[in-house]
Amino acid sequence: MSDSGGDPADGASGGTDAGGVEYGEVAVTLAAVLALVVAAALLPAAGLGSGGGGGDGAAGTAGTATTTPGGTPGDAATGTPEGGSSGDSTTAAPLGGGSPSGVSLSNPPERTAIGSPRPSGAPLAQTPQFVVEAPRNAYWRQTAYSRYTGSAWERSPRWQPMSEGVPDDGRTATGGRMDYEVTLLVPSSSLPTAWRPERVTVPNRSVGVEASTLGGVRTDGSLPAGTTYRARSATPPRSPAALRAAGTDYPPELERRYTQVPAATPRRVGAFTADLTAGAETPYDTAVIVRDWLRTKPYSLNASHEPGEPIADQFVFEMERGYCQYYATSMVVMLRTQGVPARYVVGYAPGERVGENRYLVTADRGHAWVEVYFPEVGWVRFDPTGTGRLPVRNPQPPYDISLNRSAVAGARVAVSVEKNGTPVVGAPVFVDDERVGWTDARGRVTTTLPYDATVTVTARPPDGVTKYDDGTTAASRTTGGTAPVDAARRPGSTGRLAAARPPAGLGQRETPANASSRTYRSDTNVTLSVRGRPVAGGGVTVVAAIRDVPFRGATVTVDGERVGETGANGTAGVSLSGVAPGTHTLRVRRDAVSARTTLRVLEPGEGDSAERAGPDPIAVAVDAPLGLPLPGGPATVTTTRNGSPVRSTVRVDGRTAGRTDANGSLSVTLPVAGSAAVVARGPAGTTDRATVAGLYRNAALLGGVLAALGAVGWWLRRRGVTPRGGARTLATALSTLSARAVAACIRAAELLGAAGRALRRGLRWLAGLPARVATRGLAALAALDPRRLWRWLAGLLARRGSGATGGSDGARGGGEPSATAAGDGAPSTLRSSWREFVALVAPPGARTRTPGEIARYAVDRGLPERPVRILTEAYRDAEYGRLAPDEERLARVREAVAALRAAARGEEP
């Protein structure tokens, strides 16, 4: 049995049947084992087995994140390159203790700090720790921690000889068992095991073996390198149905211990978690939602926190990225605020497969994760750590480099780096000699293409430049230069390093500096248009785009004088207050890309009404057969003006497709791409644009329909259904449906008749209502005592008056601000402003995003930063109870919302 349904199985075994074993294969295997034993004997002597920081090891490791199908809690099998506390090797924790440095296999301490207040700059050491022979890979657990202090984890387990059984602080049902052997490659008294250990046997019973209530296993004396111990572990059931049905009947002492959070933990952690998991029906659903939300945060070893402040609160609300200690700590604290027992666990992530059923675990596999308790099931593992890891092996060039779309200047693209069809993880990627980042677990990095006619993308080996590099390119290190580069290229950047660019040309090629490069020709044809009537003293809007990509950050000039700059949507408002009537040159330019057109500025009141209105705009429409545009498929472009056909020149994805005929129509072939931009230019320079999206999606849909029809035909043919028999069956079915439809119509007519009769009875009752009111109502009014009515009204007014002056709205939960001196309507005004802002931005997954994430999303989409910051800060201050808004702040909020509304419409605020 495997350790868990979620641990990675490295595919089917690559071995052969016993009868087919070659003697050469046996010899190679024996040689590899001998080399491993010799390496284990030499490593401690070389000083590589200590628990200090990184050393000269390789850059790091990465596992492939694999989520168990069906949503089971066997989480991503993450080869997370994280270690523990730096410092003296005699006291260093294997993980969870501080900076993410290389670690040694030693007993975890009773108290371990979380993360580091300083970013780490040292590479990770890949020192071998132990080798496992097991049916499946697994997480190799050392211990768990129960008490959270805000900056550290503490434990106080009870130990007992393993011969007396394994103590457990919560009943664990057995889902399966796994037998395995572990060979230590460094001396140790800590014995990693798969969860949950049932038996551990050391050779010759040379030392005593103890087990703790937290699942740790240790010996009373250090075992030398080369020692092999055998173990058996049980795994709890991992079926989502079983975990959802486990309920919340926790043992009281266990619930008290594992839902503890420090009093200093800000209330906003619990409020945010409650809102995030509002739709969860069981603790299992709560754990899955929290885990998946944390995984959206980018992974990085170069992360740190502010000392003295609760770490979970910082990671949830303030930190942009982190490593496993931050993820695991935050998930435990978030679950505990919702009353779900959880604990912080340390050990090693699954090892690297080095043979059939054989896995090597190195120091950079040190990891932290979470265990959640389910009644009658036990402790179940959840791993919330996000992606972004470095590879275990560093494949060397040549690489296959590709983009996810056609090259367009200023376009946002994903660069993919592969080696023999496998993603290369952790490879530094350069665009025109400027480093834009490192490939993630999928071998991708996202960047914005520069505004050049040709773009060269270069990928270097992961060990050529690491995440801990000093910020210089390989070229600058070779020449002794120190020119810094940004970790990611920012839109609008025009800086270039002085390193020589590769020769122009398309295709893949090998560079002399142990790297691979590919040069693309970018589309730099700018479509430039002017909206509005250009009248002296007035203003117009300049619109610039390259295909479907807005021309951002371009300088706008009129007769060489700068008058503005295009924003995130490629538009710029231009004032004509200082421009004289006449003909002028309008130009937009950024880096090597530019475009210009003639701008005729009119006298105020010049021309008749038709001229003042300008030429009527044209409209372009794209139709495809069956209304389903496909990549490479046919389409018809139609251009009209005021509903009448008009001749226009049509361009598809920047290429001229032809000119529409007298009927305003042109047959075109769509490109083989995910979308296509169709631009039509009509008389008087009027233009219109249409984007045909979802081409690949439509192709997949059509393919699915054809495949389904083929499967139905095959199924019918297998069952002997002939076309003639099928026709008879269809005719019978249609006859039956027709008879049933007629019966349904008759029944509907009967129901309508009954409804009509009921309506007539109701009308007769209403007709007699005035008479009944006149007789019975007047009699009741005559019997009414005016004094009793007066006392009832006075009491009602008194109660309403006392309720209106009854202080703050203390009943509100979830950290919402109460009404203060700013007025009872202040919070609702602020929340309505925030809701309008969120609706304006429309971020994906808005319900699970923090205010800070929504604000960053808005700025990335081109909204002005200052009003976004004003609105976000006011909302967060009020939402989490720090500062109620006063009238002055509400006025700033209203101004910010108005500015954002105007920016979204492309207007000047």
Side-chain angles (χ1 to χ4, degrees), residues 670-733:
L670 297 177
V672 180
S675 62
V678 178
V679 178
R681 180 180 293 274
T686 57
T687 62
D688 192 24
R689 167 190 298 266
T691 300
V692 184
L695 298 181
Y696 285 150
R697 181 192 63 221
N698 294 343
L701 177 62
L702 181 60
V705 171
L706 294 177
L709 292 176
V712 171
W714 175 84
W715 181 81
L716 293 174
R717 188 174 183 84
R718 291 271 296 177
R719 280 150 182 79
V721 179
T722 63
R724 180 174 298 176
R728 286 197 300 269
T729 303
L730 181 60
T732 302

Side-chain angles (χ1 to χ4, degrees), residues 16 22 29 57 80 108 130 144 206 223 229 282 290 294 301 322 374 440 446 550 553 560 569 708 761 793 849:
T16 61
E22 297 282 341
T29 303
T80 308
F130 54 94
S206 55
L223 296 175
Y229 61 91
T282 66
V290 171
L294 286 170
L301 292 174
F374 296 88
D440 58 17
T446 302
N569 57 356
R761 288 195 298 270
L793 288 175
R849 289 177 178 256

Side-chain angles (χ1 to χ4, degrees), residues 169-195:
D169 60 352
R171 181 182 183 277
T172 300
T174 300
R177 286 182 170 82
M178 180 178 72
D179 294 314
Y180 52 96
E181 292 184 355
V182 179
T183 300
L184 299 174
L185 301 181
V186 293
S188 178
S189 59
S190 174
L191 307 183
T193 59
W195 180 252

Side-chain angles (χ1 to χ4, degrees), residues 632-649:
T636 301
V637 179
T638 304
T639 56
T640 59
R641 172 184 287 170
N642 295 328
S644 301
V646 63
R647 291 182 180 271
S648 304
T649 301

